[in-house]
Structure formats: structure tokens, C-alpha cells
Amino acid sequence: TLEFDPGFHIGRFDYVGVLQKRQKFEAAFSNAAHLREAQPNNFNYKRLYANACLNVGRHEEAIAVYSMVLEVDPENPQILLMCGHAAKTIGRIQDGIDYYRRCYSAKPDYGDAFWSLANLKTYTLTDDELAIAKNSEAASDTDIVDRIHLCFALGKALEDRENYDSSFEYYARGNALKLSELGYHSDLV
């Protein structure tokens, strides 16, 4: 339908998502750029374009566009996380750390922010970050995906502190949660 109606923006938006899932990143970028040009002030099109930039290696541009999105929604943890990933990828490690910290400040139980910090390999969670992560992981209303990331972040942080027994407990809990989420049962294979 896009061939017959290039202005069918909702269809193009969905099409970009399909292209990204199929790892057709250049085509996704081209279509996301089309949407951004058509409606430059559209928040969702900016975000989509920034995501597409990441997939084609345009990390600086992605950060610049995400920054525009953050002007409208400064506490968006997903956007802050993506900025952190982009900054880390291009070697701006301290900027990445700052974005990840802003991310968990906006949403203290956002496990991916803590896992991203722990996964830097050169970074050790502070005592305060460790406490926030532990409290968030223990909270009954923490989403399972966040809980999994928190467990792995805590496992890494405690491993860095040479607290191997506690580290292993968090890694084991994270793996058990991930297994339960997958619904895999070896006896059914």
C-alpha cells in the first residue's frame, strides 16, 4: 500500500518495525527518514528515526535526535537507556554512565540500566546503586524482565567485590527467572 499511498504514515511506521525485526536496517532507516521528513515534529517518528540510526551505525546522530525527544520527555528510561548504549558504543563511556544513572533515577527498578552499568566491565556499582538494585529486585511489583537484569547486575557487582557466594545466588536466581520466563522444560524435548 505504500507504493500507492506514500503518505500512509501509520503503515510506514509499522513497516519500519517489520524491517527492523527482519534485520533489514538500511531499508528501515530509509523509511524512518521518510517519516521524519514528512512530520519533523512527530515525537514517535523522531524516536523511530533515532532507533533506525543506531541500527545503521549513526550513533552520534541517534544521540542528537534522542536528545530532542528527551526535551519533551526528559525522564523516559527507554530513551535514556538507548542514549547510554549509543554513547558506550562510540567510546563515550562517561556519557554512557551518566545516561544509565539518569535512567535508573527515572525508574529505580529498571534492571537494564543496572545491568548496562555492570556490563561495562570497567565500572563497579556504588554502594548506593547496589542498595537500590537490591531493593528493586526484592520488591514484589518489579517486572520479571527487570528482576532478571537486576539479578545479573547484582551478581556481577558482588563478583567484582569478591563476594562470590552472594554473587552466585543472584546469578542462579536470574537464570531461574529467565528459565521460567522462557517456559523451557528439558523433559519435553
Side-chain angles (χ1 to χ4, degrees):
T1 59
L2 293 176
E3 290 176 14
F4 299 111
D5 185 4
F8 183 43
H9 300 313
I10 295 171
R12 189 175 302 275
F13 185 90
D14 291 343
Y15 183 53
V16 170
V18 170
L19 290 169
Q20 287 174 329
K21 285 179 184 170
R22 297 189 69 208
Q23 297 184 3
K24 296 182 182 266
F25 298 126
E26 291 294 332
F29 175 79
S30 175
N31 280 279
H34 178 89
L35 287 171
R36 184 168 180 234
E37 289 168 16
Q39 293 184 6
N41 295 321
N42 185 302
F43 177 85
N44 290 319
Y45 295 170
K46 283 181 187 179
R47 189 176 57 191
L48 184 72
Y49 178 77
N51 291 345
C53 283
L54 289 180
N55 290 329
V56 295
R58 298 170 75 143
H59 297 90
E60 289 283 357
E61 187 174 0
I63 292 170
V65 176
Y66 282 138
S67 294
M68 289 185 259
V69 172
L70 288 171
E71 288 175 13
V72 175
D73 188 8
E75 302 298 313
N76 186 312
Q78 292 174 326
I79 300 299
L80 292 166
L81 184 77
M82 298 308 290
C83 286
H85 292 343
K88 176 191 72 169
T89 299
I90 57 177
R92 291 174 34 193
I93 304 302
Q94 187 57 53
D95 288 342
I97 290 168
D98 293 342
Y99 280 118
Y100 295 143
R101 286 179 169 164
R102 283 178 61 192
C103 183
Y104 77 68
S105 292
K107 187 177 186 302
D109 66 349
Y110 198 32
D112 207 352
F114 289 99
W115 172 239
S116 296
L117 283 168
N119 200 32
L120 288 171
K121 310 297 187 225
T122 57
Y123 184 86
T124 302
L125 295 181
T126 67
D127 290 343
D128 288 342
E129 289 169 336
L130 196 61
I132 293 167
K134 282 183 176 181
N135 289 337
S136 294
E137 193 279 327
S140 62
D141 60 342
T142 299
D143 181 75
I144 189 167
V145 173
D146 288 317
R147 190 178 308 281
I148 291 166
H149 284 116
L150 287 163
C151 284
F152 290 130
L154 288 163
K156 172 71 168 71
L158 292 165
E159 180 182 348
D160 289 345
R161 293 166 186 239
E162 299 181 2
N163 186 342
Y164 300 116
D165 289 341
S166 293
S167 170
F168 181 79
E169 288 173 16
Y170 277 107
Y171 283 138
R173 184 167 34 226
N175 282 323
L177 288 167
K178 184 66 179 172
L179 185 62
S180 73
E181 182 193 45
L182 293 174
Y184 174 79
H185 300 285
S186 61
D187 55 324
L188 298 176
V189 178

